[in-house]
RNA sequence: AGCGGGGUAGGGGAGCCUGGUUACCCCGCAGGGCUCAUAACCCUGAGGUCGGUGGUUCAAAUCCACCCCCCGCUACCA
C-alpha cells in the first residue's frame, strides 16, 4: 500500500472558483484521490484557501473591511461550495491557519540556517505616500511608455501587450487612491534559486513527470533561474522570520506551495498523530501529487522541489504533477470583471454536482484549451450521462425485475461461453481504466468508461435477452449476468467521477450490500442473490438554452437584491 | 519580442518520438433496425487538401525549413 498525498492548487479566497478553476485542480485531484482510495491506497487529500496577497487586501480596502474578515467569509463560502461539489478533502484549511504560519516561518529559518541560501538586496518599488504602502506593479497604473495607452498596469500594458517594468509607466498612480506613486528603495530577502539549478535539473531527469511539465521546466532552466524574492512590504501575510525583516511579510507564492506540507501536518495534528505526516513526505513508500493549471507549472516543478531540498530535510520529490490547459467559455476566457463563464456556486442551481463533475471531466483540457458551451453541456449530459449510462443501468435492472421477478441468484458457474468471453472483454477494459486513473489520465479514463457502457448496450442489443427469455430461461440468465456485471464495473469506474450517482447505481442494483465498494471487487457472485428494489432513472435530460436563461435570471435577481 | 504547448471531419481525442496498405475512436448528423429501457438502444452511411508553403524520401499527419492562428509563461496576479 502506498501513502499518497493528493493536493491541488490553493484557490485564492478573493472569489468563489469558476468552472475553469475547478476542473484542473480541486475536481481532478478529487477524482484521483477517490480512485486511489477505491484501489486501497492510503490517501490524504489536502488544500486550502490562499488568504494572502494584494488582490484580497485591495478588495477588502475597497469594501471597508479587514482582509481577515473578507478572507474568512469568502473561505466559508468556498468551503461550502467544495462540499456541495463532493470534493473529498481530508483537510481544507487556509493560509491563515496557525499551523501553516508556524510551519512556513520554521521552514524558511531552516533554509536560512544554511549560509548562502537567502540573501538581501535593495530594490526600487512603487510607493504610495497617501496610503503609506508599497504597491506590487499590478496595482500601479499609468501611461504606457511604448504605446501611450493611458490605463496600462505596472506589470503589463493591456493595449500593446508588452510586459512592463515599474519604470516604464509615465505618471504612475496608485489603483487604491488614484494618487501619484513614487519609486522608493526597500530591502528584500531573496531565495537563491540558481544555487539549486543542478539539483532541479537532476530531479527533472530522474522524475516521471509528464512531457509537457518537463519541457516547460527545462526551458526555464535553459533561460537561467533567477533569485526569487521571499518578502514583501505588506502587512497582510505571514511575518517574515528573518533577523532584520521586521514589518515584512512572505510573498504568497513562497508560502502557498509550503501549504502542501503544512496542511498535511495540520491534518495529522488534528487526528492525534502529530508525526504521521512525516511518513507521507519522507517515507519510502510515499508519493505526492499536485493538480494545477498550466499557468503554475514552474512553481511546482522547480520552486517547490528547490524549497524542500534547501531545508536539508529528507523530503520526497514531487512524484506527479498533473497540469491542465484552460477551459474557455463559449469561445471567450473566463472573466470575473466581465462575468464571462459559470461560477461553481451558481452552477449548482442549474444542475446537480455530479452532472457538472461529469461534464468537466469529459471535457478536461489535457492537450489544448477546450471550449465549454451550453450546447456541449447539453450534449454530454443527455447523450453520455443520461442515455449511455443512465439508460443502460435502467434497462438492465428493469430486465431483472421483468424477467426474474426482481431477484437474481444465478451464479457464474452457469454462464455460457459467449458471456464468459464478454466478461473477459469488460474485465480487461476495467484494468485499462484503472491504469489510466493511476496515471492521472482522467479524461481518457472517462472516455473508456463510456466505451464500457457502449459495449454493454451493444451486447444487450445483439443478444436480445427479452426474446431469449421467452424460450430459454437459462440463456437469458446468462446474458443478464453479464449485463449486471458490466453495470457493476461501470458503477465502480464512475465512483471517482460522479460519486453520488454511481453510489445510487450500486444501491438500486443491490451491489456491495455487505462490503464497501472496491476497485478490484469486480465479480458478481459475492453479491448474489441480488434484490433489485425500486428502479428509477438516475439522470434527467437538460436543455442548454433553458439552463442559460435560468442563469441569466438568477444573476438578474442577485444584482437586484444587491441594489435593494 | 523571446520561450513552451497546441492546430487531425461540426465538437472532442488517438496516431507524430521510432515515416509504409482504404488516417482510427467517441459525440453529433443522415438512413435503417429493434422494442428490455429514460423518443432510449443497435447497425450502416455521409463528412478530412491531417493549419499553410516549400523541402528530404520510392513513400510524409509523421522528418527538416519558413510562415499563419490559438493559449500560456517571461519571475511583483494567483
Amino acid at each position: 500500500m502506498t501513502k499518497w498525498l493528493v493536493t491541488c492548487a490553493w484557490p485564492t479566497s478573493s472569489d468563489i472558483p469558476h468552472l475553469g478553476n475547478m476542473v484542473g485542480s480541486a475536481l481532478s485531484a478529487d477524482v484521483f484521490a477517490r480512485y486511489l482510495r477505491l484501489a486501497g491506497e492510503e490517501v490524504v487529500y489536502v488544500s486550502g484557501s490562499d488568504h494572502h496577497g494584494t488582490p484580497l487586501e485591495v478588495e477588502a480596502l475597497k469594501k471597508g473591511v479587514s482582509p481577515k474578515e473578507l478572507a474568512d467569509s469568502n473561505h466559508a463560502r468556498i468551503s461550502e461550495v467544495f462540499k456541495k461539489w463532493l470534493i473529498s478533502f481530508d483537510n481544507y484549511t487556509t493560509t491563515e491557519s496557525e499551523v501553516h504560519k508556524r510551519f512556513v516561518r520554521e521552514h524558511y529559518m531552516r533554509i536560512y540556517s544554511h549560509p548562502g541560501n537567502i540573501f538581501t538586496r535593495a530594490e526600487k518599488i512603487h510607493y504610495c505616500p497617501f496610503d503609506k504602502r508599497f504597491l506590487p506593479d499590478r496595482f500601479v497604473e499609468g501611461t504606457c511608455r511604448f504605446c501611450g495607452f493611458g490605463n496600462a498596469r505596472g506589470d503589463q500594458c493591456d493595449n500593446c501587450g508588452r510586459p512592463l517594468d515599474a519604470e516604464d509607466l509615465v505618471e504612475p498612480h496608485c489603483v487604491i487612491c488614484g494618487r501619484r506613486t513614487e519609486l522608493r528603495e526597500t530591502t528584500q530577502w531573496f531565495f537563491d534559486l540558481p544555487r539549486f539549478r543542478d539539483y532541479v535539473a537532476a530531479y527533472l531527469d530522474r522524475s516521471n513527470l509528464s512531457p509537457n511539465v518537463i519541457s516547460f521546466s527545462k526551458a526555464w532552466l535553459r533561460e537561467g533561474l533567477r533569485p526569487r524574492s521571499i518578502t514583501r512590504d505588506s502587512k497582510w501575510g505571514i511575518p517574515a522570520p528573518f533577523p532584520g525583516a521586521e514589518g515584512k511579510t512572505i510573498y504568497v507564492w513562497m508560502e502557498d506551495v509550503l501549504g502542501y506540507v503544512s496542511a498535511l501536518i495540520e491534518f495529522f495534528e488534528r487526528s492525534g498523530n502529530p508525526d504521521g505526516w512525516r511518513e507521507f513526505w519522507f517515507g519510502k513508500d510515499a508519493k505526492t501529487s499536485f493538480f494545477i493549471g498550466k499557468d503554475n507549472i514552474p512553481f511546482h516543478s522547480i520552486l517547490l522541489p528547490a524549497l524542500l531540498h534547501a531545508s536539508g530535510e529528507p523530503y520526497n520529490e514531487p512524484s506527479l504533477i498533473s497540469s491542465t490547459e484552460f477551459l474557455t467559455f463559449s469561445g471567450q476566457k473566463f472573466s470575473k470583471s466581465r462575468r464571462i463563464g459559470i461560477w461553481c456556486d451558481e452552477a449548482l442551481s442549474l444542475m446537480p454536482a455530479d452532472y457538472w463533475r461529469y461534464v468537466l471531466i469529459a471535457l478536461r483540457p489535457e492537450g489544448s484549451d477546450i471550449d465549454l458551451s451550453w450546447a456541449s453541456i447539453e450534449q454530454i449530459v443527455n447523450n453520455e450521462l443520461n442515455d449511455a449510462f443512465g439508460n443502460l443501468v435502467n434497462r438492465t435492472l428493469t430486465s431483472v425485475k421483468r424477467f426474474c421477478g426482481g431477484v437474481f441468484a444465478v451464479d457464474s458457474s452457469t454462464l455460457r461461453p459467449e458471456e464468459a468471453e464478454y466478461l473477459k472483454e469488460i474485465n480487461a477494459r476495467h484494468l485499462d481504466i484503472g491504469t489510466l486513473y493511476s496515471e492521472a489520465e482522467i479524461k481518457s479514463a472517462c472516455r473508456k468508461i463510456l466505451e464500457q457502457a457502449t459495449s454493454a448496450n451493444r451486447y444487450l442489443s445483439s443478444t436480445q435477452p427479452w426474446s431469449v427469455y421467452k424460450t430459454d430461461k437459462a440463456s437469458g440468465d446468462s446474458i443478464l449476468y453479464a449485463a449486471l456485471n458490466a453495470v457493476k464495473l461501470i458503477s465502480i469506474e464512475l465512483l471517482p467521477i460522479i460519486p453520488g450517482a454511481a453510489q445510487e447505481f450500486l444501491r438500486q442494483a443491490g451491489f456491495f450490500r455487505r462490503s464497501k465498494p472496491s476497485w478490484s471487487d469486480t465479480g458478481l457472485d459475492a453479491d448474489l442473490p441480488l434484490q433489485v428494489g425500486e428502479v428509477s432513472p438516475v439522470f434527467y435530460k437538460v436543455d442548454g438554452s433553458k439552463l442559460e436563461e435560468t442563469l441569466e435570471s438568477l444573476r438578474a435577481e442577485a444584482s437586484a437584491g444587491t441594489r435593494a
Side-chain angles (χ1 to χ4, degrees), chain A residues 67 211 321:
Chain A
I321 299 176

Side-chain angles (χ1 to χ4, degrees), chain A residues 94-293:
Chain A
T94 79
T95 55
E96 271 288 286
S97 111
E98 290 308 318
V99 177
H100 177 70
K101 292 199 267 189
R102 183 191 77 212
F103 176 78
V104 168
R105 288 166 56 87
E106 284 173 4
H107 190 85
Y108 275 107
M109 285 315 285
R110 237 173 251 130
I111 296 177
Y112 188 79
S113 72
H114 300 90
N117 281 343
I118 291 175
F119 61 88
T120 59
R121 187 202 278 165
E123 283 196 318
K124 279 190 175 162
I125 308 280
H126 281 283
Y127 181 84
C128 173
F130 178 79
D131 290 317
K132 295 192 173 51
R133 55 177 299 152
F134 285 94
L135 295 164
D137 289 350
R138 187 98 193 241
F139 293 88
V140 179
E141 288 185 351
T143 302
C144 175
R145 186 164 73 83
F146 301 99
C147 72
F149 180 63
N151 289 320
R153 288 191 320 243
D155 57 343
Q156 184 175 34
C157 173
D158 278 341
N159 188 49
C160 66
R162 231 177 288 238
L164 303 178
D165 282 326
E167 295 81 11
D168 293 330
L169 282 181
V170 181
E171 303 206 351
H173 57 267
C174 166
V175 295
I176 302 167
C177 69
R179 290 179 176 78
R180 183 71 183 257
T181 61
E182 57 191 49
L183 287 173
R184 274 203 192 173
E185 198 166 272
T186 174
T187 298
Q188 301 299 2
W189 274 248
F190 283 78
F191 175 58
D192 192 1
L193 189 56
R195 264 191 145 204
F196 298 92
R197 202 211 95 92
D198 290 347
Y199 166 75
V200 172
Y203 157 63
L204 292 174
D205 282 335
R206 68 178 159 256
S207 76
N208 198 20
L209 301 177
S210 57
N212 66 326
V213 173
I214 296 276
S215 60
F216 188 93
S217 307
K218 287 194 169 171
W220 259 48
L221 293 185
R222 270 198 306 278
E223 281 174 41
L225 297 176
R226 296 182 224 165
R228 302 281 311 200
S229 72
I230 303 169
T231 54
R232 289 290 181 278
D233 290 292
S234 157
K235 290 190 186 66
W236 178 233
I238 299 177
F242 313 117
E246 291 75 18
K248 294 175 192 290
T249 53
I250 296 177
Y251 173 48
V252 283
W253 258 117
M254 302 302 279
E255 53 135 318
D256 261 13
V257 291
L258 297 178
Y260 298 132
V261 183
S262 70
L264 187 70
I265 295 175
E266 188 177 71
F267 171 79
F268 277 104
E269 282 188 2
R270 279 188 195 155
S271 39
N273 175 19
D275 284 328
W277 69 274
R278 292 174 188 275
E279 291 172 38
F280 277 73
W281 263 113
F282 302 158
K284 278 221 156 26
D285 57 346
K287 292 187 173 182
T288 53
S289 58
F290 306 83
F291 289 81
I292 58 176

